Amino acid sequence: MKYVVGYRPDERGADAVALAGVIARTQGAQLHLVNVVHGGKAADPDTEKQALAMVPKAVEATFSTRIAESFVHGLIDAAKEDEAALIVVGAASNGLFKRFTVGSVANGLLHASPVPVALAPRGYNRKDKLTRLTAMIGTREGWQSVLDVGATAAGRRHVPLRLVSVVELDQLEQTDFSLDNALSPARQHVNTVLAKAAADMPDTKVTVTLAHGRNIEEAVDGIGWKSGELVIVGSSRLAENRKIFLGSTANKILRALPVPMVVVPRDFHKQGI
Protein backbone atom coordinates (compact mmCIF):
# COMPACT_ATOMS: atom_id res chain seq x y z
CA MET A 1 0.00 0.00 0.00
CA LYS A 2 1.23 3.50 -0.84
CA TYR A 3 0.32 7.00 0.33
CA VAL A 4 1.11 10.17 -1.61
CA VAL A 5 2.24 13.00 0.66
CA GLY A 6 2.03 16.59 -0.51
CA TYR A 7 5.40 18.00 0.53
CA ARG A 8 6.43 21.61 0.69
CA PRO A 9 9.49 22.99 2.49
CA ASP A 10 7.30 24.73 5.08
CA GLU A 11 5.16 24.00 8.15
CA ARG A 12 2.34 22.47 6.11
CA GLY A 13 4.77 20.05 4.50
CA ALA A 14 6.10 19.02 7.91
CA ASP A 15 2.55 18.51 9.21
CA ALA A 16 1.73 16.27 6.24
CA VAL A 17 4.85 14.11 6.63
CA ALA A 18 4.21 13.71 10.37
CA LEU A 19 0.61 12.56 9.85
CA ALA A 20 1.53 10.27 6.96
CA GLY A 21 4.22 8.66 9.09
CA VAL A 22 1.77 7.98 11.93
CA ILE A 23 -0.84 6.45 9.61
CA ALA A 24 1.75 4.41 7.70
CA ARG A 25 3.38 2.99 10.84
CA THR A 26 0.21 1.21 11.86
CA GLN A 27 -0.35 -0.12 8.33
CA GLY A 28 3.11 -0.86 6.97
CA ALA A 29 2.45 1.46 4.03
CA GLN A 30 5.08 3.16 1.89
CA LEU A 31 5.16 6.93 1.54
CA HIS A 32 5.77 8.81 -1.69
CA LEU A 33 6.68 12.40 -0.83
CA VAL A 34 5.77 14.58 -3.82
CA ASN A 35 7.14 18.09 -4.21
CA VAL A 36 5.16 19.85 -6.93
CA VAL A 37 6.85 22.74 -8.73
CA HIS A 38 5.66 24.95 -11.56
CA GLY A 39 7.12 24.57 -15.05
CA GLY A 40 10.60 26.03 -15.43
CA LYS A 41 11.24 26.20 -11.69
CA ALA A 42 14.23 24.13 -10.63
CA ALA A 43 13.94 21.96 -7.55
CA ASP A 44 16.21 22.71 -4.60
CA PRO A 45 18.65 19.76 -4.32
CA ASP A 46 18.43 19.91 -0.52
CA THR A 47 14.64 19.54 -0.51
CA GLU A 48 14.72 15.75 -0.88
CA LYS A 49 17.18 15.31 1.96
CA GLN A 50 15.19 17.58 4.26
CA ALA A 51 11.91 15.87 3.43
CA LEU A 52 13.10 12.28 3.89
CA ALA A 53 14.79 13.21 7.17
CA MET A 54 11.32 13.88 8.62
CA VAL A 55 10.05 10.36 7.89
CA PRO A 56 10.15 7.90 10.84
CA LYS A 57 12.89 5.29 10.49
CA ALA A 58 10.36 2.46 10.58
CA VAL A 59 8.56 3.80 7.48
CA GLU A 60 9.75 3.25 3.91
CA ALA A 61 9.63 6.41 1.79
CA THR A 62 10.61 7.78 -1.61
CA PHE A 63 10.74 11.35 -2.88
CA SER A 64 10.08 12.93 -6.26
CA THR A 65 9.70 16.39 -7.71
CA ARG A 66 6.83 16.78 -10.15
CA ILE A 67 6.25 19.66 -12.57
CA ALA A 68 2.58 20.61 -12.75
CA GLU A 69 0.42 23.66 -13.19
CA SER A 70 -0.98 23.28 -9.69
CA PHE A 71 -0.08 21.49 -6.48
CA VAL A 72 -3.50 19.80 -6.47
CA HIS A 73 -3.25 18.33 -9.97
CA GLY A 74 0.32 17.22 -9.36
CA LEU A 75 -0.70 15.25 -6.27
CA ILE A 76 -3.76 13.70 -7.93
CA ASP A 77 -1.70 12.62 -10.94
CA ALA A 78 0.90 11.06 -8.63
CA ALA A 79 -1.81 9.24 -6.68
CA LYS A 80 -3.29 7.82 -9.88
CA GLU A 81 0.11 6.63 -11.12
CA ASP A 82 0.93 5.03 -7.77
CA GLU A 83 -2.58 3.61 -7.34
CA ALA A 84 -2.30 5.22 -3.93
CA ALA A 85 -4.85 4.57 -1.19
CA LEU A 86 -4.51 8.03 0.34
CA ILE A 87 -3.29 11.59 -0.25
CA VAL A 88 -1.94 13.37 2.85
CA VAL A 89 -1.56 17.14 3.11
CA GLY A 90 -1.20 19.87 5.70
CA ALA A 91 -4.64 21.43 5.92
CA ALA A 92 -3.88 25.06 6.59
CA SER A 93 -1.35 27.79 7.14
CA ASN A 94 -3.07 29.14 10.23
CA GLY A 95 -5.66 28.25 12.82
CA LEU A 96 -6.41 28.64 16.50
CA PHE A 97 -5.74 25.91 19.06
CA LYS A 98 -4.68 23.48 16.34
CA ARG A 99 -8.15 23.57 14.80
CA PHE A 100 -8.59 23.43 11.05
CA THR A 101 -8.82 26.36 8.68
CA VAL A 102 -8.81 24.77 5.25
CA GLY A 103 -6.29 26.25 2.83
CA SER A 104 -6.51 26.39 -0.95
CA VAL A 105 -4.62 23.13 -1.57
CA ALA A 106 -6.72 21.08 0.84
CA ASN A 107 -9.88 22.69 -0.49
CA GLY A 108 -8.87 21.89 -4.07
CA LEU A 109 -8.18 18.26 -3.19
CA LEU A 110 -11.51 17.92 -1.42
CA HIS A 111 -13.24 18.94 -4.64
CA ALA A 112 -11.23 16.80 -7.04
CA SER A 113 -9.51 13.79 -5.45
CA PRO A 114 -10.74 10.31 -6.44
CA VAL A 115 -9.10 8.81 -3.32
CA PRO A 116 -9.42 9.66 0.40
CA VAL A 117 -7.60 12.77 1.60
CA ALA A 118 -6.00 13.02 5.04
CA LEU A 119 -5.76 16.51 6.52
CA ALA A 120 -3.16 17.30 9.17
CA PRO A 121 -3.95 20.10 11.63
CA ARG A 122 -1.49 22.92 11.99
CA GLY A 123 1.46 21.93 14.18
CA TYR A 124 0.77 18.19 14.03
CA ASN A 125 3.88 16.43 15.31
CA ARG A 126 2.80 13.10 16.77
CA LYS A 127 5.41 10.33 16.66
CA ASP A 128 3.53 7.38 18.17
CA LYS A 129 1.06 5.10 16.44
CA LEU A 130 -2.66 5.69 16.11
CA THR A 131 -4.67 4.59 19.13
CA ARG A 132 -8.25 4.82 17.84
CA LEU A 133 -10.25 5.47 14.68
CA THR A 134 -13.52 7.40 14.80
CA ALA A 135 -15.97 7.11 11.90
CA MET A 136 -18.62 9.82 11.67
CA ILE A 137 -21.73 7.90 10.62
CA GLY A 138 -24.56 10.10 9.36
CA THR A 139 -27.87 9.05 7.91
CA ARG A 140 -27.36 10.42 4.41
CA GLU A 141 -26.19 8.47 1.40
CA GLY A 142 -22.49 7.65 1.58
CA TRP A 143 -22.24 6.59 5.23
CA GLN A 144 -21.60 2.99 4.19
CA SER A 145 -18.33 3.98 2.48
CA VAL A 146 -17.19 5.67 5.69
CA LEU A 147 -18.02 2.58 7.75
CA ASP A 148 -16.28 0.27 5.27
CA VAL A 149 -13.08 2.33 5.25
CA GLY A 150 -13.11 2.76 9.02
CA ALA A 151 -13.79 -0.90 9.71
CA THR A 152 -11.08 -2.11 7.35
CA ALA A 153 -8.53 0.40 8.64
CA ALA A 154 -9.25 -0.41 12.29
CA GLY A 155 -9.11 -4.15 11.68
CA ARG A 156 -5.78 -3.95 9.91
CA ARG A 157 -4.26 -1.81 12.64
CA HIS A 158 -5.81 -3.68 15.56
CA VAL A 159 -7.13 -0.47 17.10
CA PRO A 160 -10.63 0.29 18.46
CA LEU A 161 -13.26 1.77 16.17
CA ARG A 162 -15.67 4.40 17.52
CA LEU A 163 -18.82 5.18 15.55
CA VAL A 164 -20.16 8.69 16.11
CA SER A 165 -23.43 10.22 14.95
CA VAL A 166 -23.79 13.99 15.39
CA VAL A 167 -27.13 15.70 16.06
CA GLU A 168 -27.35 19.49 15.79
CA LEU A 169 -30.28 20.36 18.05
CA ASP A 170 -30.70 23.92 16.79
CA GLN A 171 -31.54 22.53 13.34
CA LEU A 172 -34.40 20.32 14.54
CA GLU A 173 -38.06 21.18 14.54
CA GLN A 174 -39.05 22.68 17.87
CA THR A 175 -42.65 21.41 17.84
CA ASP A 176 -43.23 18.90 20.65
CA PHE A 177 -39.50 19.06 21.28
CA SER A 178 -37.81 16.75 23.75
CA LEU A 179 -34.24 15.53 23.78
CA ASP A 180 -35.28 11.89 23.60
CA ASN A 181 -37.51 12.51 20.58
CA ALA A 182 -34.79 14.56 18.88
CA LEU A 183 -32.17 11.86 19.35
CA SER A 184 -34.35 8.83 18.64
CA PRO A 185 -33.75 8.54 14.84
CA ALA A 186 -30.01 9.00 15.22
CA ARG A 187 -29.87 6.57 18.14
CA GLN A 188 -31.73 3.92 16.16
CA HIS A 189 -29.41 4.41 13.18
CA VAL A 190 -26.14 4.16 15.09
CA ASN A 191 -27.35 1.14 17.05
CA THR A 192 -28.25 -0.62 13.80
CA VAL A 193 -24.88 0.28 12.30
CA LEU A 194 -23.08 -0.76 15.49
CA ALA A 195 -24.77 -4.16 15.51
CA LYS A 196 -23.74 -4.79 11.91
CA ALA A 197 -20.18 -3.55 12.45
CA ALA A 198 -19.75 -5.65 15.58
CA ALA A 199 -20.99 -8.73 13.73
CA ASP A 200 -18.65 -8.07 10.80
CA MET A 201 -15.64 -7.28 13.04
CA PRO A 202 -15.54 -9.86 15.85
CA ASP A 203 -11.87 -9.14 16.59
CA THR A 204 -12.21 -5.34 16.80
CA LYS A 205 -13.59 -3.34 19.70
CA VAL A 206 -16.46 -1.26 18.29
CA THR A 207 -18.29 1.38 20.35
CA VAL A 208 -20.92 3.96 19.53
CA THR A 209 -21.30 7.58 20.63
CA LEU A 210 -24.27 9.83 19.97
CA ALA A 211 -22.95 13.40 20.00
CA HIS A 212 -25.42 16.22 20.40
CA GLY A 213 -25.27 19.95 21.03
CA ARG A 214 -26.86 23.21 20.03
CA ASN A 215 -24.52 23.19 17.04
CA ILE A 216 -21.95 20.91 15.42
CA GLU A 217 -19.03 22.53 17.21
CA GLU A 218 -20.60 21.99 20.65
CA ALA A 219 -21.47 18.39 19.80
CA VAL A 220 -17.95 17.60 18.57
CA ASP A 221 -16.31 19.28 21.55
CA GLY A 222 -18.39 17.26 24.00
CA ILE A 223 -17.45 13.69 23.07
CA GLY A 224 -13.76 13.60 24.01
CA TRP A 225 -10.71 13.03 21.80
CA LYS A 226 -7.47 11.12 22.16
CA SER A 227 -4.18 12.53 20.91
CA GLY A 228 -3.63 9.41 18.82
CA GLU A 229 -7.02 9.56 17.13
CA LEU A 230 -7.93 9.77 13.45
CA VAL A 231 -11.41 10.79 12.28
CA ILE A 232 -13.03 9.48 9.09
CA VAL A 233 -15.89 11.38 7.44
CA GLY A 234 -17.75 11.08 4.16
CA SER A 235 -18.06 13.52 1.29
CA SER A 236 -21.24 15.34 0.36
CA ARG A 237 -24.04 13.51 -1.42
CA LEU A 238 -23.83 16.33 -3.99
CA ALA A 239 -20.33 15.28 -4.96
CA GLU A 240 -19.58 13.85 -8.37
CA ASN A 241 -19.44 10.07 -8.11
CA ARG A 242 -16.23 8.83 -6.43
CA LYS A 243 -14.88 12.34 -5.91
CA ILE A 244 -14.76 14.40 -2.76
CA PHE A 245 -16.79 17.46 -1.95
CA LEU A 246 -16.95 18.50 1.68
CA GLY A 247 -20.58 19.07 2.67
CA SER A 248 -21.78 21.60 5.21
CA THR A 249 -21.91 19.17 8.14
CA ALA A 250 -18.49 17.67 7.42
CA ASN A 251 -17.06 21.15 7.00
CA LYS A 252 -18.40 22.16 10.43
CA ILE A 253 -16.96 18.98 11.95
CA LEU A 254 -13.62 19.70 10.33
CA ARG A 255 -13.43 23.18 11.82
CA ALA A 256 -14.24 21.86 15.31
CA LEU A 257 -11.84 18.91 15.37
CA PRO A 258 -8.62 18.91 17.42
CA VAL A 259 -7.33 15.78 15.62
CA PRO A 260 -6.54 14.77 11.99
CA MET A 261 -9.32 13.87 9.60
CA VAL A 262 -9.67 11.66 6.52
CA VAL A 263 -12.38 12.51 3.99
CA VAL A 264 -13.67 9.57 1.95
CA PRO A 265 -15.12 10.06 -1.56
CA ARG A 266 -18.73 9.07 -2.08
CA ASP A 267 -19.04 5.45 -3.29
CA PHE A 268 -15.36 4.76 -2.59
CA HIS A 269 -14.90 0.99 -2.59
CA LYS A 270 -11.18 0.35 -2.29
CA GLN A 271 -10.04 -1.71 0.65
CA GLY A 272 -9.43 0.85 3.35
CA ILE A 273 -6.51 3.18 3.94
Side-chain angles (χ1 to χ4, degrees):
M1 183 175 288
K2 185 175 287 188
Y3 302 151
V4 165
V5 184
Y7 180 77
R8 286 176 165 177
D10 58 19
E11 291 181 356
R12 276 180 288 182
D15 295 342
V17 174
L19 177 57
V22 169
I23 300 175
R25 281 187 62 193
T26 48
Q27 174 60 46
Q30 180 187 33
L31 304 184
H32 179 193
L33 277 54
V34 179
N35 178 38
V36 179
V37 298
H38 296 298
K41 183 179 179 181
D44 184 338
D46 292 327
T47 300
E48 178 175 355
K49 183 185 297 185
Q50 293 170 353
L52 292 175
M54 297 180 183
V55 179
K57 292 182 179 179
V59 177
E60 183 180 351
T62 58
F63 178 94
S64 70
T65 296
R66 175 180 290 268
I67 298 174
E69 289 302 313
S70 75
F71 199 65
V72 169
H73 288 108
L75 294 181
I76 290 175
D77 288 345
K80 290 178 179 178
E81 291 174 11
D82 289 347
E83 296 185 347
L86 187 69
I87 297 175
V88 187
V89 294
S93 57
N94 54 58
L96 298 176
F97 308 112
K98 294 189 177 181
R99 303 301 174 95
F100 287 99
T101 54
V102 178
S104 59
V105 170
N107 189 60
L109 283 171
L110 292 176
H111 282 76
S113 177
V115 300
V117 175
L119 306 174
R122 183 188 180 200
Y124 188 81
N125 59 4
R126 183 176 176 82
K127 305 297 182 185
D128 297 329
K129 295 180 179 180
L130 295 174
T131 58
R132 182 171 67 184
L133 296 181
T134 288
M136 310 298 285
I137 306 297
T139 57
R140 293 180 175 178
E141 180 183 356
W143 66 264
Q144 185 66 53
S145 295
V146 177
L147 178 60
D148 290 345
V149 170
T152 303
R156 283 176 174 170
R157 292 168 171 83
H158 306 291
V159 297
L161 175 66
R162 178 172 64 160
L163 308 179
V164 173
S165 184
V166 177
V167 178
E168 191 174 13
L169 298 178
D170 282 355
Q171 297 299 314
L172 300 177
E173 293 290 339
Q174 298 301 308
T175 304
D176 192 28
F177 178 83
S178 73
L179 187 59
D180 283 342
N181 287 341
L183 298 180
S184 181
R187 185 180 289 119
Q188 182 178 357
H189 176 65
V190 293
N191 285 337
T192 300
V193 172
L194 173 62
K196 182 181 185 304
D200 292 343
M201 304 171 59
D203 297 326
T204 300
K205 181 181 179 181
V206 184
T207 58
V208 62
T209 298
L210 188 58
H212 59 86
R214 292 171 298 176
N215 50 51
I216 294 293
E217 292 79 3
E218 184 178 283
V220 170
D221 276 341
I223 60 176
W225 300 97
K226 296 182 177 182
S227 61
E229 192 147 15
L230 182 68
V231 175
I232 302 171
V233 303
S235 63
S236 170
R237 57 186 175 144
L238 301 178
E240 180 182 345
N241 190 40
R242 296 198 64 193
K243 291 190 177 179
I244 293 174
F245 182 86
L246 203 60
S248 59
T249 300
N251 192 55
K252 291 176 183 177
I253 292 171
L254 169 70
R255 296 179 187 281
L257 281 177
V259 296
M261 182 167 95
V262 173
V263 186
V264 179
R266 186 166 62 92
D267 299 329
F268 182 77
H269 296 301
K270 279 191 177 181
Q271 293 298 306
I273 56 173

